[in-house]
Amino acid sequence: MRSRTPRPVWPAVLAVVAATTLTATAAAAAPVHPHLAPSSTAVDAPDIPLANVKTHLTQFQSIANTNGGNRAHGRPGYLASVNYLRSQLDAVGYTTTVQSFTYAGATGYNLLAEWPAGDPDAVVLTGAHLDSVTSGPGINDNGSGSAAILEVALAVPRSGFTPDKRLRFAWWGAEELGLRGSRHYVNSLSGAERDRIQQYLNFDMVGSPNAGYFVYDGDDSDGVGAGPGPEGSAEIEQTIQAYYTSIGVTTQGTDFDGRSDYGPFIAVGIPAGGTFTGAEGIKSSAQAALWGGTAGQAFDSCYHRSCDTTANVNDTALDRNTDAIAYTVWELAQTSPPPGDTVWSDTFETATGWVVDPAGTDTATTGAWERGDPATTSSSGTTLQLGTTVSGSFDLVTGAAAGSSAGSHDVDGGVTTIQSPAVSLPSTGALTLSFSWYLAHLSNATSADYLRVRVVGSSTVTALSVTGTASNRAGAWQTTSTDISSLSGQTVHILIDVADASNPSLVEAGVDDVRIAEG
């Protein structure tokens, strides 16, 4: 965390639970949290192993020990830290990018890692600064945040989580010199790229030895300090607080005071939030009563000093914060199903009467739609057909088998169509069609290639129409919903067609979890 003049910590309590006075010994010995009760979203976050996070901290300490005692901007220990993280992420399937910048005559680096699933136009970005100051190894500041978000990132493939939104993780350089890395990243984004980032989560110092439990005050509910974050920041704050409430820990608000890497994001209107366990500020008696620890001492007495080593980390705080990060990422990355009573649905786990080429006019020579257990295909480093479904083992897919190459069973030669069984819609009330989908292709695709979903009765409602472009587009599950109330009282069919309709190109598509809801 970047240096600044010490400030008071706002005492307003934002989430109050049953009061229990913890001694320092009891707080240090607190057990790992129990698994949460099922949330309102489809998949619950895993419990992140503390031992795994501490393994990464040990690695950061070793890197500092062999590189002059620090991991600072422009020093070899920083680049070694980047390379360690990147090797971990590459090994499990992340797409990683190292972005370089120059500050104070030295080259700095940001590391970006993206999980190849979820809507690329709806990004949940989770970040932490990776650099230390020159005076020490920076294990709490900010090896703790860096290690925590790394282990959360690794838990995505390990748990089999399929997010609805795109997950991106970032480790920023030169934060200690004025948020240089995150500022460079935000300034490098186009307007459209900024708009795709729906939330930014920042974790800077999450294992302070005399820990507090602070959550960035997204809605300025404490009424003091820097004011609220951009619209949407309150949702992040409330999500984090929901986790802490579930484990019986009281949190307090901390302001967006420009001290960490959320600064460049909120400056351009991107909602932000995160947690913080305290730096050089002094813990009050009231805070010690809430959280344990020692009143009258700094939250981190080794802040920006050589003693910020692996011995300078509170395991309980680190464990709780890492699980809070996972909970928040999982919650924000999932799209709640549309409200209302289900009129009709299909997850494709059993055959329900979908018909291929219902009008006898299809022209595709391979890759016809089928209900199948899909195999993964890829070409030129781009995943085309997804081997994972949204739920269960089956979906609608354009040729489920992998074959000897990615082009063995993709759509070729024209259009393939599949039609649902007849669905009788109620005559009153609002009606919504929702489903998950993907369209994937390589750069030889054109706008004549497409995926289209329509609901056909006496009239037709187009629920989705996506065309190809001359670029590699990896398969990634996305969700959409459409108002079909204009078809109320009719018997309708859902018609899905996909085309490789111009130059021969690698085109794949999938559809899963189709639902019509009333209300």
Side-chain angles (χ1 to χ4, degrees):
M1 177 164 280
R2 190 163 57 95
S3 296
R4 51 155 282 166
T5 302
R7 62 177 174 85
V9 179
W10 305 118
V13 176
L14 299 182
V16 179
V17 297
T20 301
T21 301
L22 301 177
T23 65
T25 301
V32 178
H33 79 83
H35 287 286
L36 295 173
S39 70
S40 59
T41 52
V43 179
D44 291 329
D47 189 350
I48 306 298
L50 174 63
N52 292 8
V53 184
K54 294 187 70 176
T55 295
H56 304 314
L57 294 182
T58 299
Q59 186 64 33
F60 290 147
Q61 181 72 63
S62 177
I63 288 170
N65 291 347
T66 56
N67 288 281
N70 66 67
R71 301 179 302 103
H73 167 73
R75 307 294 179 91
Y78 180 76
L79 186 54
S81 299
V82 170
N83 290 335
Y84 169 71
L85 292 173
R86 192 176 194 184
S87 67
Q88 296 283 311
L89 295 156
D90 285 344
V92 297
Y94 276 87
T95 301
T96 59
T97 305
V98 175
Q99 181 187 52
S100 63
F101 60 93
T102 300
Y103 181 71
T107 301
Y109 304 94
N110 295 324
L111 174 62
L112 284 299
E114 190 152 316
W115 186 243
D119 185 352
D121 292 327
V123 175
V124 177
L125 174 57
T126 304
H129 79 84
L130 184 57
D131 62 314
S132 74
V133 292
T134 56
S135 58
I139 300 304
N140 183 41
D141 183 19
N142 183 38
S144 62
S146 293
I149 72 167
L150 171 61
E151 194 56 32
V152 169
L154 298 178
V156 174
R158 188 167 63 227
S159 66
F161 178 45
T162 303
D164 298 318
K165 299 178 183 178
R166 183 61 57 94
L167 295 181
R168 186 179 301 162
F169 294 86
W171 290 264
W172 310 118
E175 186 268 0
E176 298 289 5
L177 300 178
L179 319 182
R180 302 297 171 178
S182 56
R183 185 173 298 156
H184 175 80
Y185 173 76
V186 171
N187 290 342
S188 73
L189 298 173
S190 67
E193 290 169 331
R194 290 179 183 178
D195 290 343
R196 293 187 183 104
I197 301 174
Q198 294 195 341
Q199 293 105 357
Y200 172 65
L201 311 177
N202 191 74
F203 300 97
D204 187 354
M205 300 180 68
V206 296
S208 300
N210 193 25
Y213 292 89
F214 300 103
V215 179
Y216 289 114
D217 190 9
D219 59 1
D220 196 29
S221 55
D222 67 5
V224 292
E231 183 178 358
S233 299
E235 179 188 5
I236 302 171
E237 177 188 10
Q238 291 159 8
T239 303
I240 296 170
Q241 287 178 341
Y243 170 78
Y244 277 108
T245 298
S246 75
I247 63 168
V249 174
T250 300
T251 63
Q252 291 187 356
T254 188
D255 287 320
F256 288 121
D257 56 10
R259 194 174 174 182
S260 193
D261 288 301
Y262 53 75
F265 291 90
I266 64 176
V268 297
I270 295 172
T275 64
F276 170 51
T277 53
E280 79 280 27
I282 303 301
K283 178 176 280 189
S284 70
S285 297
Q287 290 166 337
L290 284 176
W291 301 320
T294 305
Q297 291 189 8
F299 294 100
D300 183 356
S301 59
C302 287
Y303 175 67
H304 283 188
R305 297 172 59 195
S306 61
C307 58
D308 186 10
T309 66
T310 51
N312 189 49
V313 172
N314 181 315
D315 284 358
T316 300
L318 182 63
D319 182 52
R320 287 171 172 171
N321 276 276
T322 304
D323 288 330
I325 295 167
Y327 177 84
T328 305
V329 169
W330 257 247
E331 290 287 310
L332 295 179
Q334 298 182 78
T335 303
S336 299
D341 297 327
T342 299
V343 172
W344 180 89
S345 66
D346 201 339
T347 62
F348 306 106
E349 295 310 295
T350 59
T352 58
W354 288 73
V355 177
V356 178
D357 191 13
T361 56
D362 285 2
T363 56
T365 55
T366 63
W369 282 111
E370 63 176 297
R371 183 188 75 86
D373 183 356
T376 303
T377 65
S378 63
S379 179
S380 303
T382 300
T383 299
L384 295 168
Q385 182 166 288
L386 293 177
T388 57
T389 62
V390 177
S391 65
S393 301
F394 288 80
D395 61 359
L396 294 182
V397 61
T398 50
S404 59
S405 68
S408 296
H409 299 290
D410 74 312
V411 182
D412 280 325
V415 179
T416 175
T417 308
I418 193 166
Q419 179 180 277
S420 74
V423 180
S424 296
L425 300 179
S427 58
T428 59
L431 294 169
T432 301
L433 169 70
S434 62
F435 54 91
S436 296
W437 63 275
Y438 68 85
L439 175 67
H441 54 68
L442 295 184
S443 58
N444 54 359
T446 74
S447 59
D449 305 323
Y450 65 83
L451 169 65
R452 183 171 57 187
V453 180
R454 293 170 289 167
V455 186
V456 180
S458 61
S459 59
T460 298
V461 174
T462 299
L464 179 73
S465 182
V466 182
T467 59
T469 59
S471 62
N472 291 347
R473 177 179 184 147
W477 284 114
Q478 304 179 54
T479 58
T480 192
S481 60
T482 302
D483 186 346
I484 59 169
S485 302
S486 63
L487 302 175
S488 295
Q490 300 182 31
T491 297
V492 301
H493 292 88
I494 300 169
L495 196 64
I496 305 173
D497 51 338
V498 64
D500 178 1
S502 58
N503 301 323
S505 54
L506 279 169
V507 174
E508 297 279 14
V511 171
D512 204 359
D513 286 11
V514 180
R515 178 178 183 254
I516 296 175
E518 180 184 18

